[in-house]
C-alpha cells in the first residue's frame, strides 16, 4: 500500500540555520502530499500541501515541491526560528474516493536553539 | 472557535480493562477520523465517521475496537479488553467535508498506556 518515509530525527539547529527534512513516498498513482506540524501540547496542523507533480506548497517560510520523478516532497526553510521547534510529519492522501485517508511518516522532531 | 478536543489526554489501563476515548470535532464539522500512532511509527488511519454512520472502518482491528459518532455528543473510540500492544497515541481529526480538499483538523491526541 501507499507509504511515507521521512528523515529520522531529532534534528537540532541554531537560529537562522537552513532546515531540510527529507520525505519520500510510495504510491501506485498520484496522491496529494502534505506537511503537518505539531507544536508541544497541540494537535497536528496543516503546514502546506501540493496536489500534483511540480506543485510547490509554501507557508510561514516553509516550502516543499512535489517531485514525481524522485517521489519526494522535501521540506525546507531558509532561516529557522526558535518558534519553529516542533514535530514535522509528511503525509499523503489515498486516491479517488478514499482521499480522506491520510498516511503519515513517523515524524521528525526539530529543536531550534537561540 | 475551539479546535478539536480530545479527552482524556492521558489514559492508563490495566490489561483486560476497557478504554474509552472521546473526541469533540470543531464546531460545524460533521466528519470525524481516528488515527493511531504506535511508538516509532507514523499515524495510521483507523476509521471515518459521519453523524450516526460509519463510512470506512478499514483500518480498525477486527476485534475489541469500535467507534461511534452519535447524533448528540462526542465521537467515542472504545477498546475492550486492552492489551499492551494497544499502547499508543490516538488522534482524532474533523473536517467540513470529505476528500483531501477539506482540511482535517487534528486534536492533541490521547496517550493510552496499558500496564
Amino acid at each position: 500500500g501507499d507509504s511515507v518515509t521521512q528523515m529520522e530525527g531529532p534534528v537540532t539547529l541554531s537560529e537562522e540555520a537552513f532546515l531540510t527534512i527529507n520525505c519520500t513516498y510510495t504510491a501506485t498513482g498520484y496522491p496529494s502530499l502534505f506537511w503537518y506540524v505539531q507544536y508541544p501540547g497541540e494537535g497536528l496542523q496543516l503546514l502546506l500541501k501540493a496536489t500534483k507533480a511540480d506543485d510547490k506548497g509554501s507557508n510561514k517560510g516553509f516550502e516543499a515541491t512535489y517531485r514525481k520523478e524522485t517521489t519526494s516532497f522535501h521540506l525546507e526553510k531558509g532561516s529557522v526560528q526558535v518558534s519553529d521547534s516542533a514535530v514535522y510529519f509528511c503525509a499523503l492522501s489515498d486516491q479517488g474516493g478514499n482521499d480522506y485517508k491520510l498516511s503519515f511518516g513517523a515524524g521528525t522532531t526539530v529543536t531550534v536553539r537561540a | 472557535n475551539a479546535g478539536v478536543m480530545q479527552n482524556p489526554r492521558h489514559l492508563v489501563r490495566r490489561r483486560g480493562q476497557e478504554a474509552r476515548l472521546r473526541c469533540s470535532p470543531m464546531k460545524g464539522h460533521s466528519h470525524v477520523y481516528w488515527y493511531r500512532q504506535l511508538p516509532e511509527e507514523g499515524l495510521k488511519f483507523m476509521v471515518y465517521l459521519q453523524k450516526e454512520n460509519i463510512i470506512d472502518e478499514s483500518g480498525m482491528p477486527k476485534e475489541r475496537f469500535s467507534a461511534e459518532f452519535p447524533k448528540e455528543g462526542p465521537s467515542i473510540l472504545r477498546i475492550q479488553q486492552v492489551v499492551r500492544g494497544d499502547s499508543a497515541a490516538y488522534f482524532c481529526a474533523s473536517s467540513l467535508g470529505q476528500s483531501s480538499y477539506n482540511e482535517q483538523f487534528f486534536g492533541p491526541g490521547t496517550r493510552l498506556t496499558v500496564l
Side-chain angles (χ1 to χ4, degrees):
Chain A
D2 295 354
S3 66
V4 173
T5 302
Q6 67 179 96
M7 187 171 102
E8 288 187 19
V11 174
T12 302
L13 301 166
S14 297
E15 215 166 16
E16 298 184 3
F18 185 88
L19 171 67
T20 299
I21 305 176
N22 290 340
C23 171
T24 57
Y25 67 90
T26 302
T28 53
Y30 304 103
S32 294
L33 301 174
F34 307 82
W35 277 100
Y36 279 81
V37 59
Q38 184 181 29
Y39 299 105
E42 300 182 13
L44 282 73
Q45 303 173 23
L46 179 63
L47 181 60
L48 53 83
K49 72 177 186 181
T51 58
K52 61 183 188 296
D54 299 325
D55 265 5
K56 178 186 284 188
S58 61
N59 186 24
K60 299 182 181 179
F62 290 89
E63 293 184 340
T65 301
Y66 190 139
R67 301 285 188 201
K68 189 179 71 172
E69 63 275 13
T70 54
T71 61
S72 65
F73 193 53
H74 303 322
L75 183 68
E76 297 181 337
K77 185 172 185 180
S79 178
V80 294
Q81 305 300 313
V82 172
S83 57
D84 294 323
S85 297
V87 182
Y88 293 82
F89 294 89
C90 185
L92 61 77
S93 65
D94 208 346
Q95 296 157 73
N98 293 334
D99 62 357
Y100 50 82
K101 278 188 195 178
L102 300 177
S103 296
F104 288 80
T108 302
T109 300
V110 173
T111 301
V112 180
R113 294 181 174 166
Chain B
N1 188 12
V4 178
M5 310 286 284
Q6 289 188 250
N7 68 81
R9 296 290 304 276
H10 300 274
L11 182 62
V12 179
R13 285 287 178 266
R14 296 189 181 280
R15 281 178 295 171
Q17 292 184 319
E18 179 179 282
R20 288 168 60 93
L21 288 61
R22 294 174 182 77
C23 169
S24 296
M26 285 184 70
K27 188 176 181 180
H29 287 192
S30 60
H31 301 254
V32 166
Y33 316 82
W34 285 92
Y35 293 82
R36 177 169 68 173
Q37 184 182 26
L38 294 169
E40 310 301 323
E41 297 186 13
L43 284 74
K44 297 286 195 300
F45 170 84
M46 299 181 73
V47 61
Y48 163 35
L49 311 103
Q50 291 183 37
K51 284 286 186 181
E52 300 185 276
N53 290 302
I54 297 174
I55 307 302
D56 181 349
E57 56 182 349
S58 58
M60 288 272 275
K62 299 299 182 193
E63 298 179 350
R64 301 186 298 106
F65 285 71
S66 63
E68 62 177 9
F69 189 17
K71 186 176 180 181
E72 301 291 337
S75 175
I76 306 288
L77 179 68
R78 182 182 292 110
I79 311 172
Q80 296 178 304
Q81 299 176 317
V82 296
V83 301
R84 289 211 172 120
D86 297 332
S87 294
Y90 293 82
F91 291 91
C92 167
S94 72
S95 68
L96 269 176
Q98 192 176 324
S99 96
S100 62
Y101 294 100
N102 291 281
E103 179 180 346
Q104 293 185 22
F105 292 82
F106 284 78
T110 295
R111 267 76 178 171
L112 172 66
T113 301
V114 179
L115 301 177

